[in-house]
Structures are given as C-alpha cells and as structure tokens.
Amino acid sequence: MVKNWMRPATCCFTGHRIIPAAVLPGLKEELEQAVREMVDRGVSRFLCGGARGFDTLAAQTVLQLKREYSTLELFLVLPCRDQARGWSSEEAIQYEAVRRRADRVVYMENAYTEGCMHKRNRALVDNSRYCIYYMVQRMGGTAYTVDYAVRQGLEMRPVGLSSEKEE
C-alpha cells in the first residue's frame, strides 16, 4: 500500500465482529465520545477495515459526525473487493451504505487471499497515529491488531470495557 495519504491526524479502528446486544447502547455512546476526543486532538481522518460488528459501528459513527464536523474523512481499508460475500442481507446493505459514503476506499487484494485480512490490519495501523479499539477477548484479528498498534507506538483508546463489565 502506498502511504502517501498517511498523516499524523489519522485514527484507525479495530474491534470484535460480535457485540452483545446489552453492550451496544453504551458502546455506541462511548465510541462517539472517543471520536469526538480525537477530533478535539486534531484528528480528521479515520481508517476503518469494513468488517461486521465494531468496524461497521465505527464507520457509521464517523459518517454521523461528519454532519457536525465537515472536515472529517472516512477511509475504508478493505481486505478484498468481495469482503461482504456470505454476509446476511442486512449486513451487506449496511456495508454497501457505508462503502458508498466513504471518502476513499482502498482494497488490499482484488479477491480474498489467505493474507488479505492481516495485510488490511497492518495497513490500518501503519497509516495511523491513534487507534480506537473494542477488545474484550485477547484473540483473533483484534488482539493481533491491538498488539501491533502498541508495538508501532500508536496512542491507544479503548472503548466498551465499562459496558462489558456491567453485563
């Protein structure tokens, strides 16, 4: 990936695909607060991986806040062009709505390959200064991406942890 669009005022998102219904309202509120905090720090570009769950919620939050902050940009950094293949119709509709409204869409591969998700996760981090994340289990792509972001020196902002404990 070409890094010519990287800048210090960039924040990426990473998080689990499954969000318990009881956690969702509090997570939405905390995520919006975290994005507002990033805007207050001068962040105007947000990178999102386009996956189900937290990625979709994060992208929708940025798109919602663009009405208030016209300088915000949403870049989707997607693993492949057919990422939504096999998703439910509701998830695919949400995905397409977000994709159409994004300021830029970057694909790691044309079609799914074994390493395209990993490549996407690294690109999110490599092109950001900050990372907002939702991680309640240290496993899978979210844990890898959080660990990689910490190793790369990103400023980390967790969300959803207080909501998860109340469950």
Side-chain angles (χ1 to χ4, degrees):
M1 168 174 290
V2 177
K3 292 187 182 183
N4 63 352
W5 45 275
M6 183 184 82
R7 64 179 176 183
T10 302
C11 176
C12 66
F13 299 99
T14 190
H16 300 304
R17 287 183 173 90
I18 298 172
I19 302 170
V23 171
L24 192 55
L27 179 60
K28 283 182 178 181
E29 190 175 303
E30 192 175 349
L31 178 57
E32 181 178 330
Q33 178 184 346
V35 172
R36 288 180 185 279
E37 287 171 13
M38 291 295 141
V39 172
D40 289 345
R41 291 173 145 208
V43 172
S44 59
R45 184 168 292 165
F46 292 87
L47 308 183
C48 190
R52 294 178 280 196
F54 185 73
D55 280 7
T56 299
L57 182 60
Q60 290 170 334
T61 301
V62 172
L63 290 171
Q64 172 193 327
L65 290 175
K66 281 182 73 161
R67 294 181 206 142
E68 188 176 336
Y69 303 102
S70 62
T71 59
L72 295 189
E73 296 177 301
L74 175 65
F75 281 26
L76 293 182
V77 181
L78 305 177
C80 54
R81 291 183 183 277
D82 58 349
Q83 173 169 299
R85 186 188 57 184
W87 291 12
S88 73
S89 59
E90 181 183 334
E91 291 167 331
I93 289 168
Q94 287 179 345
Y95 172 81
E96 284 302 320
V98 166
R99 195 176 63 78
R100 280 193 312 272
R101 293 179 60 203
D103 294 287
R104 183 165 180 183
V105 179
V106 177
Y107 297 97
M108 298 292 99
E109 302 289 345
N110 280 324
Y112 180 84
T113 63
E114 190 174 315
C116 69
M117 300 291 189
H118 178 74
K119 192 173 181 180
R120 183 261 328 261
N121 294 343
R122 290 179 70 99
L124 289 167
V125 170
D126 290 343
N127 290 285
S128 297
R129 178 176 178 191
Y130 303 95
C131 179
I132 296 174
Y133 68 97
Y134 169 65
M135 182 175 70
V136 295
Q137 296 178 328
R138 293 208 50 80
M139 59 188 294
T142 298
Y144 169 81
T145 306
V146 167
D147 290 344
Y148 182 67
V150 168
R151 286 194 312 274
Q152 297 305 308
L154 272 63
E155 290 187 41
M156 306 299 289
R157 171 59 161 89
V159 293
L161 302 180
S162 59
S163 301
E164 194 71 24
K165 290 175 188 169
E166 294 169 7
E167 214 181 330

